[in-house]
Amino acid sequence: MSEPNPTQPELLDSPSSDTEAAAPIAPNGAVMDTASTCEWILRAHRASVLIDAASYYSVLRDMIPRARHTIFILGWDIDSRIELVPGGANDGLPPRLSEFLCAVLDANPQLRIHLLGWDFAMLYAFEREWLPSYKPAWHARRRLSFRLDGRHPLGASHHQKIVVIDDSLAFTGGIDLTGSRWDTPEHRPADPLRKNLGKTSYGPMHDAQLMFDGAAAAAIAHLARERWRRSRASHKAGRPFIEKPAARTDLWPSGIEPDFTDVDLGISLTESAYDGRPAIQQVKALHLSAVAAARRNIYVENQYFTANSVGAALQKRIAEENGPDLAMVCPYRQNGWLQEATMGVLRARLHKLLKAADHAGRYAMYAPVVDAPNGKFVNVHSKMMIVDERLLVIGSANLNNRSMVLDSECCIVIDARGDPQRQQAIARIRNRLLAEHLASSETEVAQALARHGRLNAAIASLKAGSDSVRTLEPLTPQVPPELRDIAEGVHVLDPEAPIAANELIAQFLPEPTHRPVIVKLLVLGALALGVVALTVAWRFTPFGHELSFAKLASETQRLAATHFGPLAVVAMYVAAALLSVPVTLLIAVTGFVFGAVAGAAYALTGTLIAAAAGWAAGAWLGRDAVRELAGARLNQLSERLRSKGLMAVILLRLVPVAPFSIVNLAAGASHVRFRDFMAGTAIGMAPGVVLATSFARQLVAAVTHPTPLSLMLVGVIGVALVSMSLVLRRMLTRRE
């Protein structure tokens, strides 16, 4: 890491860089250098930047069927269910990725396809396709091979996003073949095609990928082969590997004019030291060299902005008397609480340090917005840096410490080296990106830059002359109030790595445990196996159908008819809570069987006893064990519970942001006072219990014996539920 300037605020140290060798900057002002910044410098006949996943996916859909020998697909995530062209490609091939690849294999008996994804941690299981290695889709053809790559140091991830066809056409950048990536450059706020499986919508997404051929593409194929070989403990494992075919020159989409022709590409990597291989930190050296080479303007698009070494270099440059302008285009906010607690906190701190160093108004951070009045922002996922009209850097690396020293990354750099045509191409790409964000044209962007010379002045002039709801909104990232107390203790962590969550929670919940480790592991293992077994049974066996409302109601009625019926029903709550059966379902069943008054009493008693049992289990297991069960949710719940006590419990019961049983365990593990926990549970659960039991009884009555009174009661309860929801939403909005 660069030494901090004693006249400037000191940047955070990266925990990763403490154990890695410092990355050297390329000598003598050179940016592409095989001794420091690049693994290879090789020629591409053609190269083009594909902006946004709709363009990239469309080209892939067109080029993959033209493969003759091999296709490699490497990614942080690969989802067999995505459609490369939502709405239909009209090419006669199946829409889903796995079925599409199988159809391509059927049409070409000589072709082999290799897919390599990151062997992710369970922290991301609910964000990804379940058990991808065992999906029948990836084993439908003998010549289709899918693997998960776990050959990394603890905490590292495979983060490269690569596709290479016949060793002749390569794609690398920020786009994985997975969900929530597809979008068009228009980024329409409510695009009907921007949906995942289950028809769930996601917000606008901006990204980019570089396509190129020639010797540079062959080098990417070599990289893909090496990663494939390393993904197994023994290189001899699996099927025999097919050696690379002869390079082809006909693999280029006919409808795309290349941005560059006959250009040298620098291929830059990050790899951790592992299995006897030394660490590679070329990506870090590349970005430091690019910043050092800047004269007037640095344009950056990146998902994260927390890298200390790059931040220190930028801090130094913008403080210079004739330093360059820096325009950072980032997401408005980081997705999810965990990312906000790590990347969001550290981005805010780095932004503050850069603003303190900026004495001439040369630095600005922006967030793209497509509907300014309604706050509809674009999620920036691209990883790009453009320096003047000289350098273009594009790849998989985020501007965080993990991408500099730990995760596997691949970036491409193009240096114009004074060539006018290459300079114009780099300028056009930058202008195209700015035009997309500012609802302008490339010509207007070029004219604004020609008038002002400086990047941020040009952006300001384009914004001033436009009344579009689509623009670049100035961004001043703030640390959320609930995170201010912990901001000083946060390490730089990448949410795409499993160890990040563990280290974060361990730092926030450092309390040691005094229970025997063996006993805790046995309990934790038994609980984990039980949860897995119940989940599998619920999803894949008839057992799940047995827990329908009708079945539970029937069994509860049978219990109610016995002498110990009410006691048995209350006890059922404890067992059900420990087994993670939805407590709302039990409350509704109780109301249906026993009626509104008695049902509410039994349901509230049962939930309080179940909550007490969960609190006791969490207190006995301790935070470490509960953390393994609750994952990232525990830290969020613990912070709320520990800081607010009774009111936090009431709010969590009124607005259940986590399952009933998880809240119970988290409260016990966080040592929330038992009386506060029980009082908060009673106060928070009582309105919902009364409404749910009344609603269940009256709903059944209204359906089976409709009368004006029964229908009116159902209507009143429905209005009460909606009103409560609106009031709570307003309360939470004001709090935020």
Side-chain angles (χ1 to χ4, degrees):
M1 178 184 295
S2 302
E3 288 297 323
N5 189 324
T7 65
Q8 297 173 341
E10 185 175 354
L11 291 171
L12 288 171
D13 289 328
S14 163
S16 297
S17 60
D18 291 341
T19 58
E20 302 284 357
I25 300 177
N28 303 322
V31 175
M32 294 167 55
D33 181 81
T34 54
S36 56
T37 63
C38 300
E39 185 72 13
W40 304 287
I41 301 174
L42 295 166
R43 180 60 56 102
H45 303 307
R46 294 158 291 197
S48 281
V49 176
L50 305 174
I51 298 176
D52 296 311
S55 301
Y56 172 43
Y57 286 178
S58 178
V59 170
L60 275 186
R61 180 88 185 189
D62 179 43
M63 301 307 297
I64 284 176
R66 294 170 59 180
R68 297 174 186 168
H69 304 286
T70 55
I71 298 174
F72 285 94
I73 300 175
L74 281 65
W76 181 79
D77 187 23
I78 305 171
D79 196 316
S80 68
R81 305 164 296 177
I82 68 161
E83 296 182 8
L84 293 176
V85 182
N90 298 319
D91 56 9
L93 295 171
R96 289 195 175 189
L97 177 63
S98 58
E99 298 166 0
F100 167 69
L101 295 177
C102 287
V104 170
L105 286 168
D106 291 341
N108 187 346
Q110 303 302 317
L111 180 63
R112 291 180 179 268
I113 300 177
H114 307 277
L115 301 103
L116 185 68
W118 174 42
D119 191 2
F120 58 93
M122 287 306 294
L123 177 63
Y124 302 99
F126 294 103
E127 301 176 12
R128 291 169 171 249
E129 189 174 18
W130 277 58
L131 301 174
S133 293
Y134 301 98
K135 295 290 285 189
W138 295 136
H139 301 279
R141 298 295 186 276
R142 186 177 60 84
R143 291 174 286 117
L144 179 66
S145 302
F146 179 90
R147 290 183 189 171
L148 291 177
D149 184 6
R151 304 289 294 168
H152 308 283
L154 180 64
S157 73
H158 170 72
H159 200 243
Q160 296 163 343
K161 299 98 166 45
I162 289 171
V163 175
V164 58
I165 301 172
D166 283 352
D167 291 43
S168 303
L169 184 66
F171 305 82
T172 187
I175 308 177
D176 284 304
L177 303 190
T178 190
S180 301
R181 297 293 191 270
W182 184 92
D183 201 5
T184 65
E186 289 75 27
H187 301 304
R188 291 186 287 271
D191 193 325
L193 297 178
R194 200 171 54 236
K195 293 185 177 180
N196 285 318
L197 275 300
K199 304 303 180 183
T200 57
S201 300
Y202 56 93
M205 173 71 71
H206 174 70
D207 216 326
Q209 200 86 349
L210 183 69
M211 172 176 65
F212 52 96
D213 61 5
I220 297 298
H222 173 76
L223 174 65
R225 279 186 169 79
E226 285 301 305
R227 293 225 62 89
W228 182 267
R229 289 190 176 102
R230 294 179 196 171
S231 65
R232 290 288 175 89
S234 170
H235 293 173
K236 297 179 181 179
R239 302 187 185 107
F241 198 81
I242 305 299
E243 289 303 318
K244 64 180 182 180
R248 297 171 58 186
T249 59
D250 61 328
L251 275 180
W252 189 264
S254 58
I256 294 183
E257 189 71 22
D259 292 320
F260 304 90
T261 57
D262 294 322
V263 61
D264 288 337
L265 304 186
I267 301 173
S268 187
L269 307 176
T270 296
E271 288 186 7
S272 301
Y274 188 73
D275 248 0
R277 298 187 303 273
I280 300 175
Q281 295 184 10
Q282 295 160 354
V283 169
K284 179 179 178 181
L286 171 63
H287 282 86
L288 294 178
S289 293
V291 171
R295 293 185 177 181
R296 298 183 313 281
N297 297 306
I298 303 174
Y299 176 77
V300 176
E301 291 185 358
N302 211 279
Q303 180 182 8
Y304 301 127
F305 182 42
T306 63
N308 291 333
S309 55
V310 178
L314 290 169
Q315 193 178 12
K316 178 180 177 181
R317 290 305 317 276
I318 63 176
E320 293 175 1
E321 183 177 354
N322 295 310
D325 265 28
L326 170 62
M328 291 287 312
V329 178
C330 300
Y332 177 69
R333 78 174 41 147
Q334 311 296 172
N335 292 330
W337 188 91
L338 179 58
Q339 290 194 31
E340 195 66 27
T342 54
M343 299 296 108
V345 166
L346 293 171
R347 181 178 72 169
R349 296 176 67 188
L350 184 53
H351 170 79
K352 184 178 180 180
L353 292 170
L354 288 171
K355 291 297 287 185
D358 180 23
H359 304 298
R362 297 198 180 106
Y363 164 65
M365 181 179 285
Y366 305 97
V369 60
V370 291
D371 185 359
N374 295 309
K376 300 286 186 179
F377 288 89
V378 178
N379 187 2
V380 178
H381 194 264
S382 50
K383 299 95 167 57
M384 239 190 298
M385 178 181 284
I386 299 176
V387 175
D388 297 321
E389 289 76 37
R390 174 185 172 181
L391 297 170
L392 168 65
V393 179
I394 180 171
S396 65
N398 291 308
L399 285 186
N400 59 1
N401 289 317
R402 300 190 53 79
S403 288
M404 300 297 112
V405 301
L406 186 59
D407 295 339
S408 65
E409 306 286 4
C410 178
C411 290
I412 306 296
V413 56
I414 296 175
D415 189 342
R417 292 174 172 169
D419 183 283
Q421 290 185 335
R422 294 173 190 164
Q423 289 175 332
Q424 291 172 11
I426 292 172
R428 282 196 303 269
I429 293 166
R430 178 198 58 207
N431 297 347
R432 192 191 318 165
L433 292 164
L434 284 169
E436 175 180 318
H437 296 316
L438 293 165
S440 185
S441 68
E442 292 181 41
T443 300
E444 290 171 330
V445 174
Q447 290 172 348
L449 282 165
R451 284 195 306 271
H452 298 280
R454 293 285 183 167
L455 190 55
N456 290 310
I459 292 173
S461 70
L462 289 166
K463 285 166 55 67
S466 172
D467 58 359
S468 174
V469 296
R470 184 172 180 181
T471 187
L472 285 172
E473 191 77 16
L475 177 61
T476 301
Q478 302 288 339
V479 177
E482 64 269 22
L483 300 179
R484 286 174 184 164
D485 292 339
I486 62 175
E488 291 302 320
V490 175
H491 291 303
V492 176
L493 305 170
D494 187 342
E496 293 186 346
I499 198 169
N502 294 341
E503 288 181 352
L504 176 66
I505 296 171
Q507 183 179 352
F508 291 153
L509 305 174
E511 177 188 329
T513 176
H514 302 290
R515 302 199 178 277
V517 175
I518 296 178
V519 174
K520 292 186 65 178
L521 289 176
L522 286 174
V523 173
L524 178 60
L527 286 172
L529 290 174
V531 170
V532 171
L534 285 169
T535 303
V536 172
W538 183 286
R539 295 189 57 173
F540 302 110
T541 73
F543 176 71
H545 302 292
E546 295 297 317
L547 290 179
S548 64
F549 182 87
K551 186 70 174 179
L552 282 173
S554 174
E555 295 299 323
T556 307
Q557 283 179 321
R558 290 177 56 190
L559 275 174
T562 66
H563 187 65
F564 298 101
L567 183 61
V569 170
V570 171
M572 180 176 67
Y573 275 80
V574 179
L578 293 176
L579 295 175
S580 297
V581 173
V583 71
T584 307
L585 180 61
L586 294 176
I587 294 171
V589 170
T590 308
F592 170 65
V593 174
F594 293 98
V597 178
Y602 294 147
L604 187 57
T605 302
T607 54
L608 288 174
I609 294 174
W615 183 94
W620 182 79
L621 287 170
R623 292 179 181 174
D624 292 339
V626 174
R627 182 170 66 238
E628 296 298 326
L629 291 172
R633 289 178 175 175
L634 177 63
N635 190 60
Q636 179 185 12
L637 296 173
S638 296
E639 288 300 317
R640 293 187 181 184
L641 291 166
R642 189 168 53 183
S643 61
K644 302 297 182 182
L646 176 63
M647 289 304 301
V649 176
I650 294 174
L651 283 174
L652 284 171
R653 295 310 192 190
L654 286 170
V655 187
V657 298
F660 179 77
S661 56
I662 294 296
V663 174
N664 300 336
L665 289 169
S670 304
H671 298 299
V672 174
R673 287 191 301 180
F674 183 71
R675 66 182 185 186
D676 288 345
F677 173 71
M678 294 303 293
T681 298
I683 296 170
M685 293 291 294
V689 167
V690 171
L691 286 171
T693 52
S694 302
F695 185 77
R697 189 72 172 183
Q698 295 303 326
L699 181 61
V700 173
V703 173
T704 56
H705 303 289
T707 65
L709 179 60
S710 65
L711 293 173
M712 183 183 70
L713 286 173
V714 170
V716 169
I717 295 171
V719 170
L721 288 170
V722 172
S723 301
M724 179 181 288
S725 175
L726 292 175
V727 169
L728 290 174
R729 177 175 294 183
R730 180 168 294 183
M731 288 172 57
L732 291 175
T733 302
R734 287 177 178 175
R735 283 172 59 84
E736 290 176 0

